[in-house]
Each structure stands twice: as structure tokens, then as C-alpha cells.
Amino acid sequence: MKRPRRNPQIVWRHERRREEEVLKAQQRGESVDEYGTVILIVSGTMHQLNLVGGHIWSLCDGSREVDEVVDALAEEFAVERGELAEDVVEFIADLESRGWLEYV
């Protein structure tokens, strides 16, 4: 099976302190969809991925199949797998179409 992997030419960093702030805001019931926790530099342009997008990005290291990424997220965020699967597949397809992910 194919496993998604981050394009090695993309520079990125996980903003751990920012993620902690976002998680605290989420626990308070605030909407956190717009807050970036992972920064990507692609062709000199900075892009931010939100909490869930950042986790998907981090999990796409070439060692997991898409189903395993979905399983890991469902467990981490205590969400029904079925609710998550379609969104994760769509997000990964979008990143692949941008050339940010590739399959190994």
C-alpha cells in the first residue's frame, strides 16, 4: 500500500508552544480552527496548518498508510473514525495536489 510522506524539499517546523496555547483554548471551548501550529515554507512562501492539519502533516512521514493516519488521529482526538476518515483523505489529497506530500 502507498504511504504519504512529506516532500523533503519543504522546510517546516512544529510550533510546540503555539500548539500548547491552542490546546488550552480548545479546552476552554474556543474555536481554534484558524490558529496555525505547523509552519511550512514552500517556494519562499509561509503557510500555516491548524492543529489537526499539523497533526496530519506530522504523521505523514512515509511510515504509515492513510488508514493508519486516520486511526492515530481518531485515537488522539477521541473522535469517531468515520467522522474523520473522509476529511483526512481529502486533506491528504489536497496536500498531494500541491506537491507537498508524495507517496512511497
Side-chain angles (χ1 to χ4, degrees):
M1 291 300 275
K2 297 190 311 183
R3 300 174 314 253
R5 147 180 106 173
R6 299 178 295 267
N7 180 332
Q9 296 180 341
I10 294 177
V11 176
W12 68 284
R13 114 177 140 233
H14 185 174
E15 297 287 325
R16 296 193 192 285
R17 190 175 321 175
R18 180 69 169 158
E19 183 176 284
E20 289 173 14
E21 294 170 6
V22 170
L23 288 170
K24 287 177 185 175
Q26 186 179 46
Q27 289 171 349
R28 292 189 302 266
E30 298 174 24
S31 175
V32 296
D33 293 343
E34 300 299 318
Y35 298 112
T37 59
V38 169
I39 307 295
L40 310 177
I41 307 293
V42 182
S43 301
T45 303
M46 183 176 79
H47 302 270
Q48 293 187 38
L49 300 178
N50 68 13
L51 183 67
V52 176
H55 279 278
I56 294 169
W57 176 262
S58 295
L59 291 167
C60 290
D61 61 2
S63 70
R64 297 171 187 84
E65 295 176 13
V66 174
D67 283 344
E68 293 171 304
V69 171
V70 172
D71 291 340
L73 286 169
E75 184 175 320
E76 184 169 347
F77 290 101
V79 176
E80 287 292 323
R81 187 186 192 289
E83 291 179 39
L84 207 54
E86 186 176 328
D87 291 338
V88 171
V89 168
E90 230 174 81
F91 186 75
I92 288 174
D94 180 53
L95 295 182
E96 181 191 17
S97 74
R98 295 170 186 252
W100 299 0
L101 287 180
E102 54 196 26
Y103 283 94
V104 293

